[in-house]
Amino acid sequence: MELLPDEIKAAMQGVIPSHVVTCAADGTPNASAISQVYYVDGDHVALSHQFFNKTKRNLAENPRAAVWLIHPKTFETWDLELEFDHAETSGPIFEQMDMQIEAIASLVGMKGVFKLKAADIFRVVSVTKTSGERISR
């Protein structure tokens, strides 16, 4: 059974930055904003590894992570529990993510600053949809 529903894909476009949380072996948490959560298939996502030094150290000690996504139109939020599988530094997933990161960087005036080091592939353990609150005038 695939865990990721189609409706979550819009929250993975990088319009609103996502956040990843990991823990060291001693339980010390680390939270980071990430440029991209990439839909690999119904049971896997890839996170853009750009500036993740502490996150990578934590994943080496404890492969579990949590990601928070926000849908850019409905403001619904999604919580993903993940388990690190492997990193890719070439191939179709890496190339697609690299192009998307360059596009995101270009839009925010930071072309050439965001350098993708790896596409970190995670198995989705669970998905929880929470409701967003839309505020309008």
Side-chain angles (χ1 to χ4, degrees), residues 68-120:
W68 181 58
L69 302 166
I70 303 172
H71 192 290
K73 291 183 181 174
T74 65
F75 298 106
E76 292 172 317
T77 60
W78 300 82
D79 295 325
L80 305 180
E81 286 183 56
L82 307 174
E83 186 168 34
F84 181 75
D85 187 87
H86 68 281
E88 296 182 6
T89 56
S90 64
I93 293 170
F94 178 86
E95 298 302 325
Q96 183 65 34
M97 290 182 73
D98 194 41
M99 281 192 324
Q100 288 183 6
I101 285 175
E102 280 300 314
I104 292 167
S106 194
L107 287 172
V108 296
M110 298 185 79
K111 188 168 176 63
V113 174
F114 295 171
K115 179 67 180 146
L116 185 63
K117 294 179 182 178
D120 288 343

mmCIF file of all heavy atoms in Angstrom, residues 68-120:
data_model
loop_
_atom_site.group_PDB
_atom_site.id
_atom_site.type_symbol
_atom_site.label_atom_id
_atom_site.label_comp_id
_atom_site.label_asym_id
_atom_site.label_seq_id
_atom_site.Cartn_x
_atom_site.Cartn_y
_atom_site.Cartn_z
ATOM 1 N N TRP A 68 7.917 18.211 7.933
ATOM 2 C CA TRP A 68 6.673 18.977 7.986
ATOM 3 C C TRP A 68 6.511 19.697 6.660
ATOM 4 O O TRP A 68 7.418 20.414 6.225
ATOM 5 C CB TRP A 68 6.754 19.961 9.145
ATOM 6 C CG TRP A 68 5.556 20.812 9.375
ATOM 7 C CD1 TRP A 68 4.280 20.397 9.624
ATOM 8 C CD2 TRP A 68 5.524 22.238 9.404
ATOM 9 N NE1 TRP A 68 3.460 21.476 9.813
ATOM 10 C CE2 TRP A 68 4.202 22.619 9.678
ATOM 11 C CE3 TRP A 68 6.487 23.219 9.224
ATOM 12 C CZ2 TRP A 68 3.819 23.948 9.779
ATOM 13 C CZ3 TRP A 68 6.100 24.542 9.330
ATOM 14 C CH2 TRP A 68 4.785 24.901 9.600
ATOM 15 N N LEU A 69 5.361 19.489 5.999
ATOM 16 C CA LEU A 69 5.057 20.101 4.699
ATOM 17 C C LEU A 69 3.828 20.990 4.827
ATOM 18 O O LEU A 69 2.928 20.692 5.613
ATOM 19 C CB LEU A 69 4.736 19.017 3.663
ATOM 20 C CG LEU A 69 5.773 17.954 3.389
ATOM 21 C CD1 LEU A 69 5.139 16.800 2.624
ATOM 22 C CD2 LEU A 69 6.906 18.547 2.593
ATOM 23 N N ILE A 70 3.773 22.052 4.010
ATOM 24 C CA ILE A 70 2.602 22.938 3.976
ATOM 25 C C ILE A 70 2.129 23.050 2.532
ATOM 26 O O ILE A 70 2.916 23.374 1.636
ATOM 27 C CB ILE A 70 2.937 24.346 4.505
ATOM 28 C CG1 ILE A 70 3.484 24.284 5.917
ATOM 29 C CG2 ILE A 70 1.693 25.246 4.449
ATOM 30 C CD1 ILE A 70 4.004 25.616 6.428
ATOM 31 N N HIS A 71 0.846 22.805 2.319
ATOM 32 C CA HIS A 71 0.255 22.974 0.994
ATOM 33 C C HIS A 71 0.159 24.477 0.712
ATOM 34 O O HIS A 71 -0.380 25.229 1.526
ATOM 35 C CB HIS A 71 -1.137 22.340 0.961
ATOM 36 C CG HIS A 71 -1.712 22.214 -0.393
ATOM 37 N ND1 HIS A 71 -2.133 23.301 -1.126
ATOM 38 C CD2 HIS A 71 -1.919 21.125 -1.171
ATOM 39 C CE1 HIS A 71 -2.599 22.885 -2.289
ATOM 40 N NE2 HIS A 71 -2.472 21.565 -2.350
ATOM 41 N N PRO A 72 0.672 24.964 -0.424
ATOM 42 C CA PRO A 72 0.743 26.403 -0.666
ATOM 43 C C PRO A 72 -0.601 27.087 -0.930
ATOM 44 O O PRO A 72 -0.682 28.303 -0.815
ATOM 45 C CB PRO A 72 1.652 26.511 -1.895
ATOM 46 C CG PRO A 72 1.496 25.208 -2.583
ATOM 47 C CD PRO A 72 1.285 24.196 -1.497
ATOM 48 N N LYS A 73 -1.653 26.343 -1.243
ATOM 49 C CA LYS A 73 -2.959 26.967 -1.496
ATOM 50 C C LYS A 73 -3.932 26.774 -0.340
ATOM 51 O O LYS A 73 -4.665 27.688 0.016
ATOM 52 C CB LYS A 73 -3.565 26.409 -2.777
ATOM 53 C CG LYS A 73 -2.826 26.846 -4.017
ATOM 54 C CD LYS A 73 -3.501 26.337 -5.270
ATOM 55 C CE LYS A 73 -2.692 26.781 -6.486
ATOM 56 N NZ LYS A 73 -3.202 26.215 -7.714
ATOM 57 N N THR A 74 -3.961 25.585 0.226
ATOM 58 C CA THR A 74 -4.935 25.285 1.279
ATOM 59 C C THR A 74 -4.368 25.480 2.678
ATOM 60 O O THR A 74 -5.129 25.510 3.644
ATOM 61 C CB THR A 74 -5.415 23.825 1.164
ATOM 62 O OG1 THR A 74 -4.302 22.953 1.415
ATOM 63 C CG2 THR A 74 -6.011 23.546 -0.212
ATOM 64 N N PHE A 75 -3.047 25.553 2.789
ATOM 65 C CA PHE A 75 -2.328 25.648 4.064
ATOM 66 C C PHE A 75 -2.526 24.423 4.954
ATOM 67 O O PHE A 75 -2.237 24.466 6.144
ATOM 68 C CB PHE A 75 -2.659 26.941 4.821
ATOM 69 C CG PHE A 75 -2.270 28.166 4.066
ATOM 70 C CD1 PHE A 75 -3.241 28.952 3.462
ATOM 71 C CD2 PHE A 75 -0.945 28.516 3.907
ATOM 72 C CE1 PHE A 75 -2.884 30.068 2.733
ATOM 73 C CE2 PHE A 75 -0.590 29.632 3.179
ATOM 74 C CZ PHE A 75 -1.560 30.408 2.590
ATOM 75 N N GLU A 76 -2.999 23.341 4.351
ATOM 76 C CA GLU A 76 -3.033 22.091 5.090
ATOM 77 C C GLU A 76 -1.590 21.659 5.322
ATOM 78 O O GLU A 76 -0.725 21.912 4.497
ATOM 79 C CB GLU A 76 -3.767 21.008 4.299
ATOM 80 C CG GLU A 76 -5.238 21.289 4.146
ATOM 81 C CD GLU A 76 -5.897 20.315 3.192
ATOM 82 O OE1 GLU A 76 -5.320 20.007 2.133
ATOM 83 O OE2 GLU A 76 -7.011 19.886 3.522
ATOM 84 N N THR A 77 -1.365 21.019 6.445
ATOM 85 C CA THR A 77 -0.013 20.557 6.746
ATOM 86 C C THR A 77 0.008 19.036 6.793
ATOM 87 O O THR A 77 -1.004 18.384 7.043
ATOM 88 C CB THR A 77 0.498 21.140 8.078
ATOM 89 O OG1 THR A 77 -0.359 20.733 9.136
ATOM 90 C CG2 THR A 77 0.574 22.650 8.010
ATOM 91 N N TRP A 78 1.186 18.528 6.533
ATOM 92 C CA TRP A 78 1.418 17.091 6.521
ATOM 93 C C TRP A 78 2.665 16.807 7.355
ATOM 94 O O TRP A 78 3.665 17.502 7.227
ATOM 95 C CB TRP A 78 1.670 16.610 5.094
ATOM 96 C CG TRP A 78 0.553 16.872 4.153
ATOM 97 C CD1 TRP A 78 0.281 18.032 3.487
ATOM 98 C CD2 TRP A 78 -0.460 15.958 3.761
ATOM 99 N NE1 TRP A 78 -0.826 17.881 2.703
ATOM 100 C CE2 TRP A 78 -1.303 16.614 2.844
ATOM 101 C CE3 TRP A 78 -0.725 14.629 4.078
ATOM 102 C CZ2 TRP A 78 -2.391 16.003 2.255
ATOM 103 C CZ3 TRP A 78 -1.813 14.026 3.481
ATOM 104 C CH2 TRP A 78 -2.635 14.706 2.594
ATOM 105 N N ASP A 79 2.586 15.791 8.174
ATOM 106 C CA ASP A 79 3.739 15.328 8.938
ATOM 107 C C ASP A 79 4.138 13.966 8.385
ATOM 108 O O ASP A 79 3.296 13.068 8.294
ATOM 109 C CB ASP A 79 3.397 15.184 10.422
ATOM 110 C CG ASP A 79 3.061 16.515 11.072
ATOM 111 O OD1 ASP A 79 3.668 17.531 10.690
ATOM 112 O OD2 ASP A 79 2.190 16.540 11.958
ATOM 113 N N LEU A 80 5.403 13.841 8.010
ATOM 114 C CA LEU A 80 5.920 12.578 7.505
ATOM 115 C C LEU A 80 6.928 12.028 8.493
ATOM 116 O O LEU A 80 7.807 12.756 8.954
ATOM 117 C CB LEU A 80 6.633 12.770 6.163
ATOM 118 C CG LEU A 80 5.876 13.441 5.023
ATOM 119 C CD1 LEU A 80 6.773 13.530 3.791
ATOM 120 C CD2 LEU A 80 4.609 12.683 4.714
ATOM 121 N N GLU A 81 6.801 10.764 8.828
ATOM 122 C CA GLU A 81 7.843 10.059 9.569
ATOM 123 C C GLU A 81 8.621 9.274 8.530
ATOM 124 O O GLU A 81 8.037 8.554 7.716
ATOM 125 C CB GLU A 81 7.235 9.104 10.593
ATOM 126 C CG GLU A 81 6.647 9.792 11.788
ATOM 127 C CD GLU A 81 6.138 8.780 12.799
ATOM 128 O OE1 GLU A 81 6.941 7.919 13.235
ATOM 129 O OE2 GLU A 81 4.950 8.860 13.127
ATOM 130 N N LEU A 82 9.936 9.421 8.552
ATOM 131 C CA LEU A 82 10.788 8.844 7.521
ATOM 132 C C LEU A 82 11.913 8.016 8.117
ATOM 133 O O LEU A 82 12.294 8.207 9.276
ATOM 134 C CB LEU A 82 11.415 9.967 6.679
ATOM 135 C CG LEU A 82 10.481 10.996 6.061
ATOM 136 C CD1 LEU A 82 11.292 12.093 5.387
ATOM 137 C CD2 LEU A 82 9.535 10.341 5.072
ATOM 138 N N GLU A 83 12.442 7.137 7.279
ATOM 139 C CA GLU A 83 13.645 6.389 7.634
ATOM 140 C C GLU A 83 14.618 6.480 6.473
ATOM 141 O O GLU A 83 14.271 6.167 5.328
ATOM 142 C CB GLU A 83 13.311 4.933 7.926
ATOM 143 C CG GLU A 83 14.496 4.159 8.446
ATOM 144 C CD GLU A 83 14.099 2.817 9.011
ATOM 145 O OE1 GLU A 83 13.148 2.190 8.508
ATOM 146 O OE2 GLU A 83 14.759 2.405 9.976
ATOM 147 N N PHE A 84 15.844 6.945 6.771
ATOM 148 C CA PHE A 84 16.860 7.123 5.739
ATOM 149 C C PHE A 84 17.175 5.789 5.080
ATOM 150 O O PHE A 84 17.346 4.773 5.745
ATOM 151 C CB PHE A 84 18.131 7.718 6.349
ATOM 152 C CG PHE A 84 19.221 7.948 5.347
ATOM 153 C CD1 PHE A 84 19.157 8.993 4.449
ATOM 154 C CD2 PHE A 84 20.310 7.091 5.292
ATOM 155 C CE1 PHE A 84 20.159 9.202 3.508
ATOM 156 C CE2 PHE A 84 21.322 7.284 4.367
ATOM 157 C CZ PHE A 84 21.242 8.341 3.471
ATOM 158 N N ASP A 85 17.245 5.805 3.733
ATOM 159 C CA ASP A 85 17.564 4.604 2.972
ATOM 160 C C ASP A 85 18.952 4.703 2.353
ATOM 161 O O ASP A 85 19.818 3.889 2.629
ATOM 162 C CB ASP A 85 16.496 4.380 1.896
ATOM 163 C CG ASP A 85 16.674 3.060 1.181
ATOM 164 O OD1 ASP A 85 16.147 2.036 1.667
ATOM 165 O OD2 ASP A 85 17.357 3.054 0.137
ATOM 166 N N HIS A 86 19.165 5.739 1.521
ATOM 167 C CA HIS A 86 20.471 5.920 0.872
ATOM 168 C C HIS A 86 20.544 7.312 0.253
ATOM 169 O O HIS A 86 19.543 8.020 0.166
ATOM 170 C CB HIS A 86 20.701 4.848 -0.204
ATOM 171 C CG HIS A 86 19.802 4.964 -1.396
ATOM 172 N ND1 HIS A 86 18.494 4.520 -1.409
ATOM 173 C CD2 HIS A 86 20.024 5.494 -2.631
ATOM 174 C CE1 HIS A 86 17.949 4.764 -2.588
ATOM 175 N NE2 HIS A 86 18.845 5.362 -3.346
ATOM 176 N N ALA A 87 21.731 7.687 -0.174
ATOM 177 C CA ALA A 87 21.952 8.978 -0.835
ATOM 178 C C ALA A 87 22.359 8.733 -2.279
ATOM 179 O O ALA A 87 23.076 7.770 -2.567
ATOM 180 C CB ALA A 87 23.034 9.774 -0.111
ATOM 181 N N GLU A 88 21.892 9.601 -3.170
ATOM 182 C CA GLU A 88 22.270 9.531 -4.581
ATOM 183 C C GLU A 88 22.953 10.836 -4.974
ATOM 184 O O GLU A 88 22.455 11.915 -4.655
ATOM 185 C CB GLU A 88 21.048 9.292 -5.466
ATOM 186 C CG GLU A 88 20.380 7.952 -5.196
ATOM 187 C CD GLU A 88 19.190 7.657 -6.106
ATOM 188 O OE1 GLU A 88 18.932 8.446 -7.052
ATOM 189 O OE2 GLU A 88 18.524 6.635 -5.869
ATOM 190 N N THR A 89 24.083 10.734 -5.651
ATOM 191 C CA THR A 89 24.808 11.921 -6.103
ATOM 192 C C THR A 89 24.827 12.028 -7.624
ATOM 193 O O THR A 89 25.484 12.904 -8.174
ATOM 194 C CB THR A 89 26.256 11.898 -5.571
ATOM 195 O OG1 THR A 89 26.881 10.684 -5.986
ATOM 196 C CG2 THR A 89 26.280 12.009 -4.052
ATOM 197 N N SER A 90 24.094 11.162 -8.282
ATOM 198 C CA SER A 90 23.923 11.219 -9.733
ATOM 199 C C SER A 90 22.674 10.420 -10.068
ATOM 200 O O SER A 90 22.068 9.808 -9.185
ATOM 201 C CB SER A 90 25.154 10.625 -10.456
ATOM 202 O OG SER A 90 25.271 9.252 -10.138
ATOM 203 N N GLY A 91 22.280 10.466 -11.333
ATOM 204 C CA GLY A 91 21.106 9.722 -11.767
ATOM 205 C C GLY A 91 19.892 10.604 -11.913
ATOM 206 O O GLY A 91 19.938 11.818 -11.652
ATOM 207 N N PRO A 92 18.775 10.024 -12.352
ATOM 208 C CA PRO A 92 17.583 10.814 -12.688
ATOM 209 C C PRO A 92 16.983 11.612 -11.536
ATOM 210 O O PRO A 92 16.580 12.756 -11.724
ATOM 211 C CB PRO A 92 16.589 9.774 -13.204
ATOM 212 C CG PRO A 92 17.289 8.484 -13.298
ATOM 213 C CD PRO A 92 18.629 8.616 -12.651
ATOM 214 N N ILE A 93 16.917 11.018 -10.349
ATOM 215 C CA ILE A 93 16.342 11.747 -9.205
ATOM 216 C C ILE A 93 17.232 12.922 -8.843
ATOM 217 O O ILE A 93 16.756 14.056 -8.673
ATOM 218 C CB ILE A 93 16.125 10.812 -7.999
ATOM 219 C CG1 ILE A 93 15.044 9.778 -8.326
ATOM 220 C CG2 ILE A 93 15.758 11.611 -6.750
ATOM 221 C CD1 ILE A 93 14.920 8.672 -7.296
ATOM 222 N N PHE A 94 18.536 12.690 -8.744
ATOM 223 C CA PHE A 94 19.477 13.759 -8.423
ATOM 224 C C PHE A 94 19.399 14.873 -9.468
ATOM 225 O O PHE A 94 19.323 16.058 -9.114
ATOM 226 C CB PHE A 94 20.908 13.211 -8.344
ATOM 227 C CG PHE A 94 21.930 14.273 -8.056
ATOM 228 C CD1 PHE A 94 22.212 14.642 -6.751
ATOM 229 C CD2 PHE A 94 22.603 14.932 -9.080
ATOM 230 C CE1 PHE A 94 23.137 15.638 -6.465
ATOM 231 C CE2 PHE A 94 23.532 15.921 -8.811
ATOM 232 C CZ PHE A 94 23.802 16.268 -7.494
ATOM 233 N N GLU A 95 19.402 14.518 -10.741
ATOM 234 C CA GLU A 95 19.383 15.524 -11.818
ATOM 235 C C GLU A 95 18.103 16.364 -11.771
ATOM 236 O O GLU A 95 18.148 17.591 -11.931
ATOM 237 C CB GLU A 95 19.543 14.853 -13.184
ATOM 238 C CG GLU A 95 20.851 14.106 -13.367
ATOM 239 C CD GLU A 95 22.092 14.968 -13.183
ATOM 240 O OE1 GLU A 95 22.067 16.162 -13.545
ATOM 241 O OE2 GLU A 95 23.095 14.447 -12.643
ATOM 242 N N GLN A 96 16.952 15.714 -11.564
ATOM 243 C CA GLN A 96 15.681 16.441 -11.501
ATOM 244 C C GLN A 96 15.660 17.380 -10.299
ATOM 245 O O GLN A 96 15.243 18.529 -10.410
ATOM 246 C CB GLN A 96 14.514 15.449 -11.441
ATOM 247 C CG GLN A 96 13.158 16.108 -11.458
ATOM 248 C CD GLN A 96 12.853 16.840 -12.746
ATOM 249 O OE1 GLN A 96 13.261 16.425 -13.823
ATOM 250 N NE2 GLN A 96 12.150 17.947 -12.644
ATOM 251 N N MET A 97 16.118 16.909 -9.161
ATOM 252 C CA MET A 97 16.143 17.760 -7.974
ATOM 253 C C MET A 97 17.098 18.931 -8.158
ATOM 254 O O MET A 97 16.797 20.053 -7.753
ATOM 255 C CB MET A 97 16.537 16.941 -6.746
ATOM 256 C CG MET A 97 15.466 15.968 -6.306
ATOM 257 S SD MET A 97 15.930 15.047 -4.824
ATOM 258 C CE MET A 97 15.761 16.336 -3.572
ATOM 259 N N ASP A 98 18.240 18.683 -8.776
ATOM 260 C CA ASP A 98 19.215 19.746 -9.021
ATOM 261 C C ASP A 98 18.614 20.842 -9.894
ATOM 262 O O ASP A 98 18.774 22.029 -9.606
ATOM 263 C CB ASP A 98 20.475 19.150 -9.659
ATOM 264 C CG ASP A 98 21.655 20.111 -9.639
ATOM 265 O OD1 ASP A 98 21.850 20.797 -8.611
ATOM 266 O OD2 ASP A 98 22.379 20.168 -10.646
ATOM 267 N N MET A 99 17.885 20.447 -10.940
ATOM 268 C CA MET A 99 17.233 21.441 -11.817
ATOM 269 C C MET A 99 16.190 22.241 -11.048
ATOM 270 O O MET A 99 16.091 23.457 -11.201
ATOM 271 C CB MET A 99 16.578 20.757 -13.012
ATOM 272 C CG MET A 99 17.539 20.373 -14.095
ATOM 273 S SD MET A 99 16.756 19.880 -15.667
ATOM 274 C CE MET A 99 15.288 19.037 -15.177
ATOM 275 N N GLN A 100 15.392 21.557 -10.217
ATOM 276 C CA GLN A 100 14.354 22.256 -9.463
ATOM 277 C C GLN A 100 14.951 23.207 -8.433
ATOM 278 O O GLN A 100 14.435 24.304 -8.221
ATOM 279 C CB GLN A 100 13.417 21.251 -8.793
ATOM 280 C CG GLN A 100 12.510 20.558 -9.791
ATOM 281 C CD GLN A 100 11.536 19.611 -9.133
ATOM 282 O OE1 GLN A 100 11.426 19.528 -7.910
ATOM 283 N NE2 GLN A 100 10.807 18.869 -9.945
ATOM 284 N N ILE A 101 16.049 22.807 -7.813
ATOM 285 C CA ILE A 101 16.702 23.699 -6.845
ATOM 286 C C ILE A 101 17.260 24.933 -7.540
ATOM 287 O O ILE A 101 17.166 26.042 -7.021
ATOM 288 C CB ILE A 101 17.780 22.942 -6.046
ATOM 289 C CG1 ILE A 101 17.068 22.053 -5.040
ATOM 290 C CG2 ILE A 101 18.742 23.890 -5.351
ATOM 291 C CD1 ILE A 101 17.955 21.155 -4.266
ATOM 292 N N GLU A 102 17.837 24.759 -8.717
ATOM 293 C CA GLU A 102 18.326 25.912 -9.486
ATOM 294 C C GLU A 102 17.175 26.852 -9.825
ATOM 295 O O GLU A 102 17.318 28.076 -9.763
ATOM 296 C CB GLU A 102 19.041 25.461 -10.753
ATOM 297 C CG GLU A 102 20.464 25.018 -10.511
ATOM 298 C CD GLU A 102 21.342 26.124 -9.923
ATOM 299 O OE1 GLU A 102 21.306 27.272 -10.424
ATOM 300 O OE2 GLU A 102 22.058 25.842 -8.950
ATOM 301 N N ALA A 103 16.004 26.293 -10.170
ATOM 302 C CA ALA A 103 14.837 27.117 -10.473
ATOM 303 C C ALA A 103 14.368 27.873 -9.234
ATOM 304 O O ALA A 103 14.068 29.072 -9.299
ATOM 305 C CB ALA A 103 13.709 26.252 -11.030
ATOM 306 N N ILE A 104 14.324 27.199 -8.097
ATOM 307 C CA ILE A 104 13.931 27.851 -6.839
ATOM 308 C C ILE A 104 14.920 28.963 -6.502
ATOM 309 O O ILE A 104 14.536 30.087 -6.166
ATOM 310 C CB ILE A 104 13.853 26.823 -5.688
ATOM 311 C CG1 ILE A 104 12.699 25.846 -5.894
ATOM 312 C CG2 ILE A 104 13.711 27.521 -4.331
ATOM 313 C CD1 ILE A 104 12.737 24.629 -4.979
ATOM 314 N N ALA A 105 16.211 28.680 -6.621
ATOM 315 C CA ALA A 105 17.246 29.674 -6.321
ATOM 316 C C ALA A 105 17.141 30.877 -7.240
ATOM 317 O O ALA A 105 17.297 32.020 -6.804
ATOM 318 C CB ALA A 105 18.630 29.040 -6.433
ATOM 319 N N SER A 106 16.859 30.626 -8.488
ATOM 320 C CA SER A 106 16.724 31.709 -9.457
ATOM 321 C C SER A 106 15.549 32.622 -9.098
ATOM 322 O O SER A 106 15.642 33.841 -9.203
ATOM 323 C CB SER A 106 16.539 31.111 -10.850
ATOM 324 O OG SER A 106 16.714 32.080 -11.826
ATOM 325 N N LEU A 107 14.456 32.020 -8.652
ATOM 326 C CA LEU A 107 13.264 32.792 -8.289
ATOM 327 C C LEU A 107 13.497 33.700 -7.094
ATOM 328 O O LEU A 107 12.897 34.763 -6.999
ATOM 329 C CB LEU A 107 12.094 31.856 -7.986
ATOM 330 C CG LEU A 107 11.455 31.176 -9.178
ATOM 331 C CD1 LEU A 107 10.437 30.129 -8.711
ATOM 332 C CD2 LEU A 107 10.783 32.184 -10.096
ATOM 333 N N VAL A 108 14.362 33.286 -6.171
ATOM 334 C CA VAL A 108 14.598 34.086 -4.967
ATOM 335 C C VAL A 108 15.900 34.877 -5.042
ATOM 336 O O VAL A 108 16.379 35.392 -4.044
ATOM 337 C CB VAL A 108 14.566 33.215 -3.683
ATOM 338 C CG1 VAL A 108 13.192 32.613 -3.473
ATOM 339 C CG2 VAL A 108 15.628 32.142 -3.704
ATOM 340 N N GLY A 109 16.474 34.975 -6.246
ATOM 341 C CA GLY A 109 17.678 35.773 -6.443
ATOM 342 C C GLY A 109 18.942 35.169 -5.863
ATOM 343 O O GLY A 109 19.873 35.889 -5.521
ATOM 344 N N MET A 110 18.994 33.843 -5.745
ATOM 345 C CA MET A 110 20.163 33.192 -5.157
ATOM 346 C C MET A 110 20.749 32.135 -6.099
ATOM 347 O O MET A 110 21.268 31.118 -5.649
ATOM 348 C CB MET A 110 19.801 32.577 -3.807
ATOM 349 C CG MET A 110 19.345 33.618 -2.804
ATOM 350 S SD MET A 110 19.041 32.932 -1.180
ATOM 351 C CE MET A 110 20.701 32.814 -0.561
ATOM 352 N N LYS A 111 20.671 32.401 -7.388
ATOM 353 C CA LYS A 111 21.198 31.462 -8.379
ATOM 354 C C LYS A 111 22.682 31.201 -8.104
ATOM 355 O O LYS A 111 23.445 32.100 -7.839
ATOM 356 C CB LYS A 111 21.010 32.015 -9.784
ATOM 357 C CG LYS A 111 21.351 31.028 -10.873
ATOM 358 C CD LYS A 111 20.852 31.550 -12.217
ATOM 359 C CE LYS A 111 21.253 30.663 -13.353
ATOM 360 N NZ LYS A 111 20.706 29.329 -13.313
ATOM 361 N N GLY A 112 23.069 29.925 -8.117
ATOM 362 C CA GLY A 112 24.449 29.543 -7.883
ATOM 363 C C GLY A 112 24.805 29.351 -6.413
ATOM 364 O O GLY A 112 25.869 28.849 -6.101
ATOM 365 N N VAL A 113 23.907 29.755 -5.495
ATOM 366 C CA VAL A 113 24.170 29.630 -4.062
ATOM 367 C C VAL A 113 23.756 28.252 -3.555
ATOM 368 O O VAL A 113 24.449 27.637 -2.759
ATOM 369 C CB VAL A 113 23.440 30.732 -3.264
ATOM 370 C CG1 VAL A 113 23.597 30.526 -1.762
ATOM 371 C CG2 VAL A 113 23.948 32.097 -3.674
ATOM 372 N N PHE A 114 22.619 27.763 -4.029
ATOM 373 C CA PHE A 114 22.096 26.466 -3.602
ATOM 374 C C PHE A 114 22.752 25.373 -4.424
ATOM 375 O O PHE A 114 22.465 25.216 -5.592
ATOM 376 C CB PHE A 114 20.585 26.394 -3.817
ATOM 377 C CG PHE A 114 19.774 27.350 -2.990
ATOM 378 C CD1 PHE A 114 18.429 27.502 -3.236
ATOM 379 C CD2 PHE A 114 20.329 28.110 -1.979
ATOM 380 C CE1 PHE A 114 17.651 28.371 -2.490
ATOM 381 C CE2 PHE A 114 19.565 28.980 -1.223
ATOM 382 C CZ PHE A 114 18.217 29.102 -1.484
ATOM 383 N N LYS A 115 23.634 24.606 -3.832
ATOM 384 C CA LYS A 115 24.314 23.521 -4.534
ATOM 385 C C LYS A 115 23.854 22.198 -3.949
ATOM 386 O O LYS A 115 24.039 21.941 -2.751
ATOM 387 C CB LYS A 115 25.839 23.669 -4.394
ATOM 388 C CG LYS A 115 26.609 22.585 -5.071
ATOM 389 C CD LYS A 115 26.445 22.668 -6.579
ATOM 390 C CE LYS A 115 27.229 21.572 -7.256
ATOM 391 N NZ LYS A 115 26.589 21.079 -8.441
ATOM 392 N N LEU A 116 23.251 21.360 -4.775
ATOM 393 C CA LEU A 116 22.791 20.061 -4.318
ATOM 394 C C LEU A 116 23.986 19.117 -4.174
ATOM 395 O O LEU A 116 24.713 18.880 -5.130
ATOM 396 C CB LEU A 116 21.768 19.472 -5.300
ATOM 397 C CG LEU A 116 21.122 18.155 -4.875
ATOM 398 C CD1 LEU A 116 20.311 18.341 -3.592
ATOM 399 C CD2 LEU A 116 20.231 17.625 -5.989
ATOM 400 N N LYS A 117 24.195 18.606 -2.970
ATOM 401 C CA LYS A 117 25.274 17.653 -2.712
ATOM 402 C C LYS A 117 24.797 16.221 -2.947
ATOM 403 O O LYS A 117 25.554 15.382 -3.418
ATOM 404 C CB LYS A 117 25.787 17.802 -1.283
ATOM 405 C CG LYS A 117 26.461 19.131 -1.011
ATOM 406 C CD LYS A 117 26.907 19.205 0.440
ATOM 407 C CE LYS A 117 27.534 20.557 0.732
ATOM 408 N NZ LYS A 117 27.935 20.669 2.141
ATOM 409 N N ALA A 118 23.543 15.952 -2.567
ATOM 410 C CA ALA A 118 22.983 14.613 -2.737
ATOM 411 C C ALA A 118 21.465 14.674 -2.646
ATOM 412 O O ALA A 118 20.909 15.618 -2.090
ATOM 413 C CB ALA A 118 23.521 13.668 -1.672
ATOM 414 N N ALA A 119 20.839 13.673 -3.200
ATOM 415 C CA ALA A 119 19.413 13.439 -3.008
ATOM 416 C C ALA A 119 19.329 12.329 -1.963
ATOM 417 O O ALA A 119 19.721 11.196 -2.232
ATOM 418 C CB ALA A 119 18.755 13.016 -4.311
ATOM 419 N N ASP A 120 18.902 12.673 -0.759
ATOM 420 C CA ASP A 120 18.809 11.696 0.315
ATOM 421 C C ASP A 120 17.448 11.013 0.240
ATOM 422 O O ASP A 120 16.411 11.658 0.414
ATOM 423 C CB ASP A 120 18.999 12.364 1.675
ATOM 424 C CG ASP A 120 20.436 12.797 1.920
ATOM 425 O OD1 ASP A 120 21.335 12.315 1.203
ATOM 426 O OD2 ASP A 120 20.657 13.612 2.831
#
